[in-house]
Amino acid sequence: MTVLAHGTAAPGGQDDALARDALAVLQPGFEGTTAPAWLLRRLSEGLVSVGLFGRNIASPGQLAALTAQLRAERDDVLVAIDEEGGDVTRLEVRGGSSFPGNLALGAVDDTGLTREVARELGRRLAECGVNFNWAPSADVNSNPDNPVIGVRSFGADTDLAARHTAAYVEGLQATGVVACTKHFPGHGDTNVDSHHALPRIDADLDTLAARELVPFRAAIEAGTKAVMSAHILVPALDPTRPATLSPQILTGLLRKELGYEGLIVTDGMEMNAIAGTYGIERGSVLALAAGADAICVGGGLADEATVLRLRDTLVAAVREGTLPEERLADAAARVRALAGWTASARAAAGAVPGAPQGGAPGIGLEAARRAVTVSGTPAPLTAPYVATLAPVANIAVGHETPWGLAGELAELLPGTASGVFPEGASAEDVLAAAGGRTVVAVVRDAHRHAWMAEVLDRLVAVRPDTVVVEMGLPRAEPRGALYIATHGAARVCGRAAAEVIAGG
């Protein structure tokens, strides 16, 4: 039998089994809020996993209907999503998350709270029929200039990151939702976003063992069902290939040295760190050969042609001898086994997609309130002006998710006005727009943006009563009459800060 470049393969023995295995290891996406016919057809032919993104979600009810549509074709389908809470949300992509992210949880440093937040997040995912979460981030944010991790990390302290990673895994998986701990072997010490280029970490083996690997060891001990590889070059581990494509890192380190037996999934293969260096097709073959079990693709490539091209590429690689047949079969078996686990775990947790399951709906706001730190004394304000100094959001966060606190503060202080100021704006622009009102300057990672720091310094010099709210990584010295650090930009973080400003 010959597998055609554009699609269907005539059924027949071993070749048909190869095609089914090749489909099984893919995690593709799609466009729209209902499942297209081609996706349902491929599920019937051996596809096991589907990735969901913000473009696929309009409401909890719609999402539950979508996952029911998928499950009608394959009951044990793995429905994956990137729902970290905090800055990275897909469930609430258009309104902002009801849960603070990892940095806020690390700032509180209550593992019981982290476990409860993860459990509630998992409950909401399970209620919508989602059973695989590309979270948590176990990265130790040792480089404060990291452009892609930052508040997605529990913090810069290794032991803190490890204990909260374990708690998050335990809470999430208690609901029958797979935890996918990322980004192995650790993305925290980078200053390059792997969406754009290939980052490099030059730490030595001792540093990696004592810092990067510790949270992953904790996640494995906590029973994480999946681990996501990072598109990063770590010369101390492999001087030539990024982790996603490295046998030394995925098989030698993760499987053999750390003893991990669960599913290994790649980060998105269309990210430029892979697509721009090895190409998606070759990268997928190399990743599987290196030890990955599932190929994440679909964030930017979400069509049937991509799925068929990758399926046929993998089958051809087996035929050519560049991908061992046993390796593909082993990877497919691991994917199917995890799908089976989710079906039984869902039943054990009592998770019925589409049915309310109780839970702790206020836990996110409670956590966000506890994460806020304040310098200075709140002064009574009436109708202030909220100036949001807005950097360009990284791709993982997405530009479509709103952030800030203008709306939340307006609910508490009627008459509050607001404006958004991008790079290039000046303090004078803000003051002119404020028109004499007290300014509430809202920033995100001011330490990484010189223009933002300059605007803040000038505002505080001209108006010492300025309130500064840092919703990213709080690295700069506190400024203003009142300085609030929320440790993240989720909607609930904005609410918690607004309550402080409003005196409530």
Side-chain angles (χ1 to χ4, degrees):
M1 179 207 71
T2 300
V3 178
L4 304 178
H6 294 291
T8 58
Q14 185 182 27
D15 286 330
D16 187 55
L18 279 178
R20 293 186 68 83
D21 283 350
L23 278 175
V25 302
L26 301 178
Q27 285 192 345
F30 62 95
E31 299 285 348
T33 54
T34 59
W38 70 262
L39 184 66
L40 299 176
R41 184 167 62 251
R42 300 307 167 188
L43 284 170
S44 71
E45 294 174 358
L47 187 68
V48 181
S49 308
V50 175
L52 300 183
F53 299 85
R55 62 178 180 250
N56 304 121
I57 300 169
S59 68
Q62 168 271 323
L63 179 55
L66 169 58
T67 59
Q69 187 184 12
L70 297 171
R71 203 153 274 118
E73 192 62 52
R74 182 180 183 118
D75 181 61
D76 65 347
V77 62
L78 290 170
V79 183
I81 198 170
D82 197 358
E83 183 57 50
E84 299 176 13
D87 291 27
V88 180
T89 179
R90 304 296 178 251
L91 284 181
E92 300 178 278
V93 66
R94 291 168 185 83
S97 181
S98 300
F99 301 91
N102 284 4
L103 188 67
L105 295 173
V108 178
D109 195 15
D110 178 345
T111 55
L113 178 67
T114 295
R115 190 175 293 106
E116 189 61 29
V117 167
R119 185 190 295 270
E120 176 62 16
L121 181 57
R123 185 195 65 77
R124 294 195 194 182
L125 290 172
E127 190 175 284
C128 294
V130 176
N131 57 7
F132 191 120
N133 193 9
W134 291 314
S137 169
D139 307 297
V140 179
N141 198 59
S142 54
N143 185 345
D145 291 327
N146 194 316
V148 69
I149 302 300
V151 298
R152 301 168 64 198
S153 165
F154 288 111
D157 181 271
T158 298
D159 291 337
L160 178 144
R163 61 180 174 266
H164 285 276
T165 295
Y168 196 106
V169 167
E170 292 164 355
L172 187 64
Q173 291 189 168
T175 66
V177 175
V178 171
C180 182
T181 306
K182 60 188 184 185
H183 307 79
F184 187 82
H187 209 308
D189 191 18
T190 64
N191 58 10
V192 172
D193 185 343
S194 51
H195 290 90
H196 302 300
L198 179 61
R200 175 185 174 113
I201 293 180
D202 285 312
D204 59 32
L205 289 174
D206 289 343
T207 299
L208 293 169
R211 187 179 65 188
E212 272 74 11
L213 298 182
V214 174
F216 289 97
R217 289 183 185 274
I220 292 168
E221 291 175 4
T224 187
K225 294 293 181 180
V227 168
M228 177 179 283
S229 67
H231 302 331
I232 56 174
L233 186 67
V234 188
L237 299 174
D238 187 330
T240 59
R241 288 188 179 176
T244 294
L245 313 183
S246 170
Q248 293 97 308
I249 294 175
L250 297 190
T251 299
L253 176 59
L254 183 54
R255 288 274 186 235
K256 294 180 179 178
E257 185 175 333
L258 300 187
Y260 176 64
E261 298 180 352
L263 190 82
I264 300 175
V265 60
T266 71
D267 206 344
M269 297 300 283
E270 66 271 35
M271 294 164 63
N272 212 41
I274 299 297
T277 53
Y278 292 84
I280 295 171
E281 291 88 351
R282 182 175 176 232
S284 296
V285 172
L286 291 174
L288 284 166
D293 305 306
I295 303 297
C296 179
V297 63
L301 300 170
D303 56 84
E304 184 177 23
T306 296
V307 173
L308 297 179
R309 186 171 74 251
L310 288 174
R311 181 201 66 179
D312 294 347
T313 294
L314 297 178
V315 171
V318 171
R319 287 287 168 238
E320 294 163 1
T322 54
L323 176 62
E325 183 176 351
E326 311 80 58
R327 174 78 272 274
L328 177 61
D330 173 64
R334 287 181 185 274
V335 175
R336 296 184 188 114
L338 184 58
W341 176 85
T342 63
S344 59
R346 186 175 74 226
V352 180
Q357 298 168 49
I363 192 68
L365 181 55
E366 175 190 336
R369 286 168 174 160
R370 291 178 62 185
V372 167
T373 57
V374 179
S375 298
T377 304
L381 291 180
T382 56
Y385 184 84
V386 179
T388 302
L389 309 185
V392 176
N394 71 59
I395 293 175
V397 173
H399 66 274
E400 67 270 54
T401 303
W403 67 281
L405 54 79
E408 300 291 341
L409 190 56
E411 289 184 9
L412 300 175
L413 295 178
T416 295
S418 63
V420 177
F421 299 83
E423 184 173 2
S426 67
E428 283 66 32
D429 295 330
V430 173
L431 292 168
R437 298 171 184 241
T438 299
V439 174
V440 177
V442 184
V443 297
R444 203 171 185 176
D445 293 340
H447 70 283
R448 291 200 305 110
H449 303 282
W451 70 272
M452 203 179 288
E454 290 173 7
V455 171
L456 288 181
D457 287 342
R458 177 65 177 160
L459 283 174
V460 171
V462 175
R463 289 291 303 264
D465 61 341
T466 296
V467 175
V468 177
V469 181
E470 172 61 82
M471 301 193 77
L473 197 66
R475 292 283 298 179
E477 288 296 317
R479 300 173 168 89
L482 180 66
Y483 178 88
I484 301 170
T486 62
H487 302 91
R491 177 177 54 80
V492 287
C493 295
R495 180 69 185 191
E499 290 175 350
V500 173
I501 294 169

